[in-house]
């Protein structure tokens, strides 16, 4: 059975928003790694905003792509150790 585009887009928007809410930068902000964490956060937030814009414009395909890219940025940051996340979350591939 093919995935339902609306359901998947909703789910990925929630995943990205939830992931942004729990990911806490680990390195001090005034270090190179702190700046990298800030850049990753900015990219993820921008993709979340872009996705919401695409949805408002009736473009769920690009909305889903934006949410997926944003989540990928944040998940990569977690795997690189730029962010601390709760142990009991299934939001990340740690």
């Amino acid at each position: 059975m093919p995935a339902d585009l609306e359901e998947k887009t909703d789910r990925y928007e929630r995943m990205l928003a939830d992931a942004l809410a729990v990911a806490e930068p680990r390195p001090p902000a005034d270090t190179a790694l702190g700046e990298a964490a800030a850049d990753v956060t900015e990219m993820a937030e921008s993709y979340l905003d872009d996705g919401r814009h695409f949805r408002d414009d009736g473009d769920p395909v690009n909305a889903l792509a934006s949410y997926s890219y944003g989540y990928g940025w944040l998940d990569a940051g977690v795997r690189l150790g730029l962010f601390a996340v709760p142990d009991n979350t299934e939001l990340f591939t740690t």
Side-chain angles (χ1 to χ4, degrees):
M1 171 186 280
D4 177 79
L5 179 60
E6 185 174 345
E7 182 278 326
K8 193 169 190 175
T9 304
D10 288 342
R11 185 166 28 103
Y12 274 68
E13 179 182 11
R14 279 191 313 272
M15 277 179 30
L16 178 52
D18 291 348
L20 279 164
V22 300
E24 295 291 330
R26 280 187 168 169
D30 61 346
T31 65
L33 289 177
E35 291 175 15
D39 288 344
V40 169
T41 300
E42 181 180 358
M43 289 299 295
E45 289 172 342
S46 293
Y47 276 118
L48 180 61
D49 290 342
D50 289 349
R52 289 174 173 165
H53 173 77
F54 285 127
R55 282 194 99 174
D56 290 344
D57 282 352
D59 187 353
V61 171
N62 280 318
L64 178 58
S66 291
Y67 299 144
S68 297
Y69 281 123
Y71 183 81
W73 271 89
L74 198 56
D75 193 50
V78 170
R79 293 197 47 109
L80 290 169
L82 297 176
F83 300 95
V85 295
D87 290 334
N88 62 348
T89 183
E90 295 181 9
L91 287 169
F92 301 100
T93 59
T94 57

Coordinates of all heavy atoms in Angstrom, one line a residue:
M1 N 0.8 -1.2 0.0 CA 0.0 0.0 0.0 C 0.9 1.2 0.0 O 1.8 1.4 0.8 CB -0.9 0.0 1.2 CG -1.7 1.3 1.5 SD -2.6 1.3 3.0 CE -4.0 0.4 2.5
P2 N 0.7 2.2 -0.9 CA 1.5 3.4 -0.9 C 1.3 4.3 0.3 O 0.2 4.2 0.9 CB 1.1 4.1 -2.2 CG -0.3 3.5 -2.6 CD -0.3 2.1 -2.0
A3 N 2.3 5.0 0.6 CA 2.2 5.9 1.8 C 1.2 7.1 1.4 O 1.1 7.5 0.3 CB 3.5 6.5 2.1
D4 N 0.5 7.5 2.4 CA -0.4 8.6 2.3 C 0.4 9.9 2.4 O 1.0 10.1 3.5 CB -1.5 8.5 3.3 CG -2.5 9.7 3.3 OD1 -3.3 9.7 2.4 OD2 -2.3 10.6 4.1
L5 N 0.4 10.7 1.4 CA 1.2 11.9 1.3 C 0.9 12.9 2.5 O 1.8 13.4 3.1 CB 1.1 12.6 0.0 CG 2.0 13.9 -0.2 CD1 3.5 13.6 0.0 CD2 1.7 14.5 -1.6
E6 N -0.4 13.1 2.7 CA -0.8 14.0 3.8 C -0.3 13.5 5.1 O 0.2 14.3 5.9 CB -2.3 14.3 3.7 CG -2.7 15.3 4.7 CD -4.2 15.7 4.6 OE1 -4.8 15.4 3.6 OE2 -4.7 16.3 5.5
E7 N -0.6 12.2 5.4 CA -0.2 11.7 6.7 C 1.3 11.7 6.9 O 1.8 12.1 8.0 CB -0.7 10.2 6.8 CG -0.4 9.6 8.2 CD 1.0 9.0 8.3 OE1 1.6 8.5 7.3 OE2 1.6 9.1 9.4
K8 N 2.1 11.4 5.9 CA 3.5 11.4 6.0 C 4.1 12.8 6.2 O 5.0 13.0 6.9 CB 4.1 10.7 4.7 CG 5.6 10.4 4.9 CD 6.1 9.5 3.8 CE 7.4 9.0 4.1 NZ 7.9 8.0 3.0
T9 N 3.5 13.7 5.5 CA 3.9 15.1 5.6 C 3.6 15.6 7.0 O 4.5 16.3 7.6 CB 3.2 16.0 4.5 OG1 3.5 15.5 3.2 CG2 3.7 17.4 4.6
D10 N 2.5 15.3 7.5 CA 2.1 15.7 8.9 C 3.1 15.1 9.9 O 3.6 15.7 10.8 CB 0.7 15.2 9.3 CG -0.4 15.9 8.6 OD1 -0.2 17.0 8.1 OD2 -1.5 15.4 8.6
R11 N 3.4 13.8 9.7 CA 4.3 13.1 10.6 C 5.7 13.7 10.6 O 6.4 13.9 11.6 CB 4.4 11.6 10.2 CG 5.2 10.7 11.2 CD 4.9 9.2 11.0 NE 4.5 8.8 9.6 CZ 5.3 8.3 8.7 NH1 6.6 8.0 9.0 NH2 4.8 7.9 7.6
Y12 N 6.2 14.0 9.4 CA 7.6 14.5 9.3 C 7.7 15.9 9.8 O 8.7 16.3 10.4 CB 8.1 14.4 7.8 CG 8.7 13.1 7.5 CD1 8.0 11.9 7.5 CD2 10.1 13.0 7.3 CE1 8.5 10.7 7.2 CE2 10.7 11.8 7.0 CZ 9.9 10.6 7.0 OH 10.5 9.4 6.7
E13 N 6.6 16.7 9.7 CA 6.6 18.1 10.3 C 6.7 17.9 11.8 O 7.5 18.6 12.4 CB 5.3 18.8 9.9 CG 5.3 20.2 10.5 CD 4.0 21.0 10.2 OE1 3.1 20.4 9.6 OE2 4.0 22.2 10.5
R14 N 5.9 17.0 12.4 CA 5.9 16.8 13.8 C 7.3 16.3 14.3 O 7.8 16.8 15.3 CB 4.8 15.8 14.2 CG 3.4 16.4 14.4 CD 2.5 15.4 15.1 NE 2.5 14.1 14.5 CZ 1.8 13.7 13.5 NH1 1.0 14.5 12.9 NH2 1.9 12.4 13.1
M15 N 7.8 15.4 13.5 CA 9.1 14.9 13.9 C 10.2 16.0 14.0 O 11.0 16.0 14.9 CB 9.6 13.8 12.9 CG 9.0 12.4 13.2 SD 9.5 11.1 12.0 CE 11.1 11.6 11.4
L16 N 10.2 16.8 12.9 CA 11.2 17.9 12.9 C 11.0 18.9 14.0 O 11.9 19.3 14.7 CB 11.2 18.5 11.5 CG 12.2 19.7 11.3 CD1 13.6 19.4 11.7 CD2 12.1 20.2 9.9
A17 N 9.7 19.3 14.2 CA 9.4 20.2 15.3 C 9.8 19.7 16.6 O 10.4 20.4 17.5 CB 8.0 20.7 15.2
D18 N 9.4 18.4 16.9 CA 9.7 17.8 18.1 C 11.3 17.6 18.3 O 11.8 17.8 19.4 CB 9.1 16.4 18.2 CG 7.6 16.4 18.4 OD1 7.0 17.5 18.6 OD2 6.9 15.4 18.2
A19 N 12.0 17.3 17.3 CA 13.4 17.1 17.4 C 14.1 18.4 17.7 O 15.0 18.5 18.5 CB 13.9 16.5 16.0
L20 N 13.6 19.5 17.1 CA 14.2 20.8 17.4 C 13.9 21.2 18.8 O 14.8 21.9 19.4 CB 13.6 21.9 16.4 CG 14.2 22.0 15.0 CD1 13.4 22.7 14.1 CD2 15.6 22.6 15.1
A21 N 12.8 20.8 19.3 CA 12.4 21.2 20.7 C 13.3 20.5 21.7 O 13.5 21.0 22.8 CB 11.0 20.8 21.0
V22 N 13.8 19.3 21.4 CA 14.6 18.5 22.5 C 16.1 18.6 22.3 O 16.8 18.2 23.2 CB 14.1 17.1 22.6 CG1 12.6 17.0 23.0 CG2 14.4 16.3 21.3
A23 N 16.6 18.9 21.1 CA 18.0 18.9 20.8 C 18.6 20.1 21.5 O 18.3 21.3 21.2 CB 18.3 18.9 19.3
E24 N 19.6 19.9 22.4 CA 20.3 21.0 23.1 C 21.7 21.0 22.6 O 22.4 20.0 22.7 CB 20.2 20.7 24.6 CG 18.9 20.8 25.2 CD 18.3 22.2 25.2 OE1 19.1 23.2 25.2 OE2 17.0 22.3 25.1
P25 N 22.2 22.1 22.1 CA 23.6 22.2 21.7 C 24.6 21.8 22.9 O 24.4 22.2 24.0 CB 23.8 23.7 21.3 CG 22.5 24.2 21.0 CD 21.5 23.4 21.9
R26 N 25.6 21.0 22.6 CA 26.5 20.6 23.6 C 27.7 21.5 23.7 O 28.1 21.9 24.8 CB 27.1 19.2 23.2 CG 26.1 18.1 23.6 CD 26.8 16.7 23.4 NE 26.0 15.7 24.0 CZ 26.2 14.4 23.8 NH1 27.2 14.0 23.1 NH2 25.4 13.6 24.4
P27 N 28.4 21.9 22.6 CA 29.6 22.7 22.7 C 29.2 24.2 23.1 O 28.1 24.7 22.8 CB 30.2 22.7 21.4 CG 29.3 22.0 20.4 CD 28.1 21.5 21.2
P28 N 30.1 24.8 23.8 CA 29.9 26.3 24.1 C 29.7 27.1 22.8 O 30.3 26.8 21.8 CB 31.2 26.7 24.8 CG 31.8 25.4 25.3 CD 31.4 24.3 24.4
A29 N 28.8 28.0 22.9 CA 28.4 28.8 21.7 C 29.6 29.5 21.1 O 29.6 29.8 19.9 CB 27.3 29.8 22.0
D30 N 30.6 29.9 21.9 CA 31.7 30.7 21.4 C 32.9 29.9 20.9 O 34.0 30.4 20.8 CB 32.2 31.7 22.5 CG 32.7 31.0 23.7 OD1 32.4 29.8 23.9 OD2 33.3 31.7 24.6
T31 N 32.6 28.6 20.5 CA 33.6 27.7 20.0 C 33.2 27.4 18.5 O 32.1 27.6 18.1 CB 33.8 26.4 20.8 OG1 32.5 25.7 20.7 CG2 34.1 26.7 22.2
A32 N 34.2 26.8 17.8 CA 33.9 26.4 16.4 C 32.8 25.4 16.4 O 31.9 25.5 15.5 CB 35.1 25.9 15.7
L33 N 32.8 24.5 17.3 CA 31.7 23.4 17.3 C 30.4 24.0 17.7 O 29.3 23.6 17.3 CB 32.1 22.3 18.2 CG 33.2 21.4 17.6 CD1 33.6 20.3 18.7 CD2 32.8 20.8 16.3
G34 N 30.4 25.0 18.6 CA 29.2 25.7 19.0 C 28.6 26.5 17.8 O 27.4 26.5 17.7
E35 N 29.5 27.1 17.0 CA 29.0 27.7 15.8 C 28.4 26.7 14.8 O 27.4 27.0 14.2 CB 30.1 28.5 15.2 CG 30.5 29.7 16.0 CD 31.7 30.5 15.4 OE1 32.1 30.2 14.2 OE2 32.3 31.3 16.1
A36 N 29.0 25.6 14.7 CA 28.5 24.5 13.9 C 27.1 24.1 14.3 O 26.2 23.9 13.5 CB 29.5 23.3 13.8
A37 N 26.9 23.9 15.6 CA 25.6 23.5 16.2 C 24.6 24.6 15.9 O 23.5 24.3 15.5 CB 25.7 23.3 17.7
A38 N 25.0 25.8 16.0 CA 24.1 26.9 15.7 C 23.7 26.9 14.2 O 22.5 27.1 13.8 CB 24.7 28.3 16.0
D39 N 24.7 26.6 13.3 CA 24.4 26.5 11.9 C 23.4 25.4 11.6 O 22.5 25.5 10.8 CB 25.7 26.3 11.1 CG 26.6 27.6 11.0 OD1 26.1 28.7 11.3 OD2 27.8 27.4 10.7
V40 N 23.6 24.2 12.2 CA 22.7 23.1 12.0 C 21.3 23.4 12.5 O 20.4 23.1 11.8 CB 23.3 21.8 12.7 CG1 22.3 20.7 12.7 CG2 24.6 21.4 12.0
T41 N 21.2 24.1 13.6 CA 19.9 24.5 14.1 C 19.2 25.4 13.2 O 18.0 25.3 12.9 CB 20.1 25.1 15.5 OG1 20.6 24.2 16.4 CG2 18.7 25.6 16.1
E42 N 20.0 26.4 12.7 CA 19.4 27.4 11.8 C 18.9 26.7 10.5 O 17.8 27.0 10.0 CB 20.5 28.4 11.4 CG 19.9 29.5 10.5 CD 20.9 30.6 10.1 OE1 22.1 30.5 10.6 OE2 20.6 31.4 9.3
M43 N 19.7 25.7 10.0 CA 19.3 25.0 8.7 C 18.0 24.2 9.0 O 17.1 24.3 8.2 CB 20.4 24.1 8.3 CG 21.6 24.8 7.7 SD 21.2 25.8 6.2 CE 20.7 24.6 5.1
A44 N 18.0 23.5 10.1 CA 16.8 22.7 10.4 C 15.5 23.6 10.6 O 14.5 23.3 10.1 CB 17.0 21.9 11.7
E45 N 15.7 24.7 11.3 CA 14.6 25.6 11.5 C 14.1 26.2 10.2 O 12.9 26.4 10.0 CB 15.0 26.7 12.5 CG 15.1 26.3 13.9 CD 15.7 27.3 14.9 OE1 16.3 28.3 14.4 OE2 15.5 27.1 16.1
S46 N 15.1 26.5 9.3 CA 14.7 27.1 8.0 C 14.0 26.1 7.2 O 13.0 26.5 6.5 CB 16.0 27.5 7.3 OG 16.6 28.6 7.9
Y47 N 14.4 24.9 7.2 CA 13.7 23.8 6.5 C 12.3 23.6 7.0 O 11.3 23.4 6.3 CB 14.4 22.5 6.4 CG 15.5 22.5 5.3 CD1 16.8 22.3 5.6 CD2 15.1 22.5 4.0 CE1 17.7 22.3 4.6 CE2 16.0 22.5 2.9 CZ 17.3 22.4 3.2 OH 18.3 22.3 2.2
L48 N 12.1 23.7 8.3 CA 10.8 23.6 8.9 C 9.9 24.8 8.5 O 8.8 24.6 8.0 CB 10.9 23.6 10.5 CG 9.6 23.5 11.2 CD1 8.8 22.2 10.9 CD2 9.8 23.7 12.7
D49 N 10.4 26.0 8.5 CA 9.7 27.1 8.0 C 9.4 27.0 6.5 O 8.2 27.3 6.1 CB 10.5 28.4 8.2 CG 10.6 28.8 9.7 OD1 9.8 28.3 10.5 OD2 11.5 29.6 10.0
D50 N 10.3 26.5 5.7 CA 10.1 26.4 4.3 C 9.0 25.3 4.0 O 8.1 25.5 3.2 CB 11.4 25.9 3.6 CG 12.4 27.0 3.4 OD1 12.1 28.2 3.7 OD2 13.6 26.6 3.1
G51 N 9.0 24.2 4.8 CA 8.0 23.2 4.6 C 6.6 23.7 4.9 O 5.7 23.4 4.2
R52 N 6.5 24.5 6.0 CA 5.2 25.1 6.3 C 4.8 26.1 5.3 O 3.6 26.1 4.9 CB 5.3 25.8 7.7 CG 5.4 24.7 8.8 CD 5.6 25.3 10.2 NE 5.6 24.3 11.2 CZ 6.0 24.4 12.4 NH1 6.5 25.6 12.8 NH2 5.9 23.4 13.3
H53 N 5.7 26.8 4.7 CA 5.3 27.7 3.6 C 4.8 26.9 2.4 O 3.8 27.2 1.8 CB 6.6 28.5 3.2 CG 6.4 29.3 1.9 ND1 5.6 30.5 1.9 CD2 6.8 29.2 0.7 CE1 5.6 31.0 0.7 NE2 6.3 30.2 -0.1
F54 N 5.5 25.8 2.0 CA 5.1 25.0 0.9 C 3.7 24.4 1.2 O 2.9 24.3 0.3 CB 6.1 23.8 0.6 CG 7.4 24.3 -0.1 CD1 8.6 24.0 0.5 CD2 7.3 25.0 -1.2 CE1 9.8 24.4 -0.2 CE2 8.5 25.4 -1.9 CZ 9.7 25.1 -1.4
R55 N 3.5 23.9 2.4 CA 2.1 23.4 2.7 C 1.1 24.4 2.5 O 0.0 24.2 2.0 CB 2.1 22.9 4.1 CG 2.8 21.5 4.3 CD 2.5 20.9 5.6 NE 1.4 20.0 5.3 CZ 1.0 19.1 6.2 NH1 1.4 19.2 7.4 NH2 0.0 18.3 5.9
D56 N 1.3 25.6 3.0 CA 0.4 26.7 2.9 C 0.1 27.0 1.5 O -1.0 27.5 1.1 CB 0.8 28.0 3.6 CG 0.8 27.9 5.1 OD1 0.2 26.9 5.7 OD2 1.5 28.7 5.8
D57 N 1.1 26.8 0.6 CA 0.9 27.1 -0.8 C 0.3 25.8 -1.6 O 0.3 25.8 -2.8 CB 2.2 27.4 -1.5 CG 2.6 28.9 -1.2 OD1 1.8 29.6 -0.7 OD2 3.8 29.3 -1.6
G58 N -0.1 24.8 -0.8 CA -0.7 23.6 -1.5 C 0.3 22.7 -2.2 O 0.0 22.0 -3.1
D59 N 1.6 22.7 -1.7 CA 2.7 21.9 -2.3 C 3.2 20.9 -1.3 O 4.3 21.1 -0.7 CB 3.8 22.8 -2.8 CG 4.8 22.1 -3.6 OD1 4.8 20.9 -3.7 OD2 5.7 22.8 -4.1
P60 N 2.5 19.8 -1.0 CA 2.9 18.9 0.0 C 4.2 18.1 -0.3 O 4.9 17.7 0.6 CB 1.7 17.9 0.1 CG 1.0 18.0 -1.2 CD 1.2 19.4 -1.6
V61 N 4.4 17.9 -1.6 CA 5.7 17.2 -2.0 C 6.9 18.0 -1.5 O 7.8 17.4 -0.9 CB 5.7 16.9 -3.5 CG1 7.0 16.4 -3.9 CG2 4.5 16.0 -3.9
N62 N 7.0 19.2 -1.9 CA 8.1 20.0 -1.4 C 8.1 20.3 0.1 O 9.2 20.4 0.7 CB 8.2 21.4 -2.2 CG 8.8 21.1 -3.6 OD1 9.8 20.4 -3.7 ND2 8.2 21.8 -4.6
A63 N 6.9 20.3 0.7 CA 6.9 20.4 2.2 C 7.5 19.2 2.8 O 8.4 19.3 3.7 CB 5.4 20.6 2.6
L64 N 7.2 18.0 2.3 CA 7.7 16.8 2.8 C 9.2 16.8 2.6 O 10.0 16.4 3.5 CB 7.1 15.6 2.2 CG 7.6 14.2 2.6 CD1 7.5 14.0 4.1 CD2 6.9 13.1 1.9
A65 N 9.7 17.2 1.4 CA 11.1 17.2 1.2 C 11.8 18.2 2.1 O 12.9 17.8 2.7 CB 11.4 17.6 -0.3
S66 N 11.2 19.3 2.4 CA 11.8 20.3 3.3 C 11.9 19.7 4.7 O 13.0 19.8 5.4 CB 11.0 21.6 3.3 OG 11.2 22.3 2.1
Y67 N 10.9 19.1 5.2 CA 10.9 18.5 6.5 C 11.9 17.4 6.6 O 12.7 17.3 7.6 CB 9.5 17.9 6.9 CG 8.4 18.9 6.9 CD1 7.1 18.6 6.5 CD2 8.6 20.2 7.4 CE1 6.1 19.5 6.6 CE2 7.6 21.2 7.4 CZ 6.3 20.8 7.0 OH 5.3 21.7 7.0
S68 N 12.0 16.6 5.6 CA 13.0 15.5 5.5 C 14.5 16.1 5.6 O 15.3 15.5 6.3 CB 12.8 14.7 4.3 OG 11.5 14.0 4.3
Y69 N 14.7 17.1 4.8 CA 16.1 17.7 4.8 C 16.4 18.3 6.1 O 17.5 18.1 6.7 CB 16.2 18.7 3.7 CG 16.4 18.2 2.3 CD1 15.6 18.5 1.3 CD2 17.5 17.4 2.0 CE1 15.7 18.0 0.0 CE2 17.7 16.9 0.7 CZ 16.8 17.2 -0.3 OH 17.0 16.7 -1.5
G70 N 15.5 19.0 6.7 CA 15.7 19.6 8.0 C 16.0 18.6 9.1 O 16.9 18.7 9.9
Y71 N 15.2 17.5 9.1 CA 15.4 16.4 10.0 C 16.8 15.8 9.8 O 17.5 15.5 10.7 CB 14.3 15.4 9.9 CG 14.4 14.3 10.9 CD1 14.0 14.5 12.2 CD2 15.0 13.1 10.6 CE1 14.1 13.5 13.2 CE2 15.2 12.1 11.5 CZ 14.7 12.3 12.8 OH 14.9 11.3 13.7
G72 N 17.2 15.6 8.5 CA 18.5 15.0 8.2 C 19.6 15.9 8.8 O 20.6 15.4 9.3
W73 N 19.5 17.2 8.6 CA 20.5 18.1 9.2 C 20.6 17.9 10.7 O 21.7 17.7 11.3 CB 20.2 19.5 8.9 CG 20.7 20.1 7.6 CD1 20.1 20.0 6.4 CD2 21.9 20.7 7.4 NE1 20.9 20.6 5.5 CE2 22.0 21.0 6.0 CE3 23.0 21.1 8.2 CZ2 23.1 21.7 5.5 CZ3 24.1 21.7 7.7 CH2 24.1 22.0 6.3
L74 N 19.5 17.9 11.4 CA 19.5 17.8 12.8 C 20.0 16.4 13.3 O 20.8 16.3 14.2 CB 18.1 18.1 13.4 CG 18.0 18.5 14.8 CD1 18.9 19.6 15.2 CD2 16.6 18.8 15.2
D75 N 19.5 15.4 12.6 CA 19.9 14.0 13.0 C 21.5 13.9 12.8 O 22.1 13.3 13.6 CB 19.2 13.0 12.2 CG 19.3 11.6 12.7 OD1 19.1 11.4 13.9 OD2 19.6 10.7 11.9
A76 N 22.0 14.4 11.7 CA 23.4 14.4 11.5 C 24.2 15.1 12.6 O 25.2 14.6 13.1 CB 23.8 15.0 10.1
G77 N 23.7 16.3 13.1 CA 24.3 17.0 14.1 C 24.3 16.2 15.4 O 25.2 16.2 16.2
V78 N 23.2 15.5 15.7 CA 23.2 14.6 16.9 C 24.2 13.5 16.8 O 25.0 13.3 17.7 CB 21.7 14.0 17.1 CG1 21.7 12.9 18.1 CG2 20.7 15.1 17.4
R79 N 24.3 12.9 15.6 CA 25.3 11.8 15.4 C 26.7 12.3 15.5 O 27.6 11.5 15.9 CB 25.0 11.1 14.1 CG 23.7 10.3 14.1 CD 23.5 9.3 13.1 NE 24.6 8.4 12.9 CZ 24.6 7.2 13.3 NH1 23.6 6.6 13.9 NH2 25.6 6.4 13.0
L80 N 26.9 13.5 15.2 CA 28.3 14.1 15.3 C 28.6 14.6 16.7 O 29.7 15.0 17.0 CB 28.4 15.3 14.3 CG 28.5 14.9 12.8 CD1 28.3 16.1 12.0 CD2 29.8 14.2 12.5
G81 N 27.6 14.6 17.6 CA 27.8 15.0 19.0 C 27.6 16.4 19.2 O 28.0 17.0 20.3
L82 N 27.0 17.2 18.3 CA 26.8 18.6 18.5 C 25.6 18.9 19.4 O 25.5 20.0 19.9 CB 26.5 19.3 17.1 CG 27.7 19.2 16.1 CD1 27.3 19.9 14.8 CD2 28.9 19.9 16.7
F83 N 24.7 17.9 19.6 CA 23.5 18.1 20.4 C 23.3 17.0 21.4 O 23.6 15.8 21.1 CB 22.3 18.1 19.5 CG 22.3 19.2 18.5 CD1 22.8 19.0 17.2 CD2 21.9 20.5 18.8 CE1 22.8 20.0 16.2 CE2 21.9 21.5 17.9 CZ 22.4 21.3 16.6
A84 N 22.8 17.3 22.5 CA 22.4 16.3 23.5 C 20.9 16.1 23.4 O 20.2 17.1 23.1 CB 22.7 16.9 24.9
V85 N 20.5 14.9 23.4 CA 19.1 14.6 23.3 C 18.7 13.6 24.4 O 19.6 12.9 24.9 CB 18.7 14.0 21.9 CG1 19.0 15.0 20.8 CG2 19.5 12.7 21.6
P86 N 17.4 13.6 24.8 CA 17.0 12.6 25.8 C 17.3 11.2 25.4 O 17.1 10.8 24.3 CB 15.5 12.9 26.0 CG 15.3 14.2 25.3 CD 16.3 14.4 24.3
D87 N 17.6 10.4 26.4 CA 17.9 9.0 26.2 C 16.6 8.2 25.8 O 16.7 7.2 25.0 CB 18.5 8.3 27.4 CG 19.9 8.7 27.7 OD1 20.6 9.1 26.8 OD2 20.3 8.7 28.9
N88 N 15.5 8.7 26.2 CA 14.2 7.9 26.0 C 13.5 8.4 24.7 O 12.3 8.1 24.6 CB 13.3 8.1 27.2 CG 12.9 9.5 27.5 OD1 13.5 10.4 26.9 ND2 12.0 9.7 28.3
T89 N 14.2 9.0 23.8 CA 13.5 9.4 22.6 C 13.9 8.5 21.4 O 15.0 8.0 21.4 CB 13.9 10.9 22.2 OG1 13.1 11.3 21.0 CG2 15.3 11.1 21.9
E90 N 12.9 8.3 20.5 CA 13.1 7.6 19.3 C 13.2 8.5 18.1 O 13.2 8.0 17.0 CB 12.0 6.5 19.1 CG 12.0 5.5 20.2 CD 10.9 4.4 20.0 OE1 10.3 4.4 18.9 OE2 10.7 3.7 20.9
L91 N 13.5 9.8 18.4 CA 13.5 10.8 17.3 C 14.8 10.7 16.5 O 14.9 11.2 15.4 CB 13.3 12.2 17.9 CG 11.9 12.6 18.3 CD1 12.0 13.9 19.1 CD2 11.0 12.7 17.1
F92 N 15.9 10.2 17.1 CA 17.2 10.2 16.5 C 17.8 8.8 16.3 O 17.4 7.9 17.0 CB 18.1 11.1 17.3 CG 17.6 12.5 17.4 CD1 17.0 12.9 18.6 CD2 17.7 13.4 16.4 CE1 16.5 14.2 18.7 CE2 17.2 14.7 16.5 CZ 16.6 15.1 17.7
T93 N 18.8 8.7 15.4 CA 19.4 7.4 15.1 C 20.7 7.3 15.9 O 21.7 6.7 15.4 CB 19.7 7.3 13.6 OG1 20.5 8.4 13.2 CG2 18.4 7.3 12.8
T94 N 20.8 7.8 17.1 CA 22.0 7.8 17.9 C 22.5 6.4 18.2 O 21.9 5.4 18.2 CB 21.8 8.5 19.3 OG1 20.7 7.9 19.9 CG2 21.6 10.0 19.0

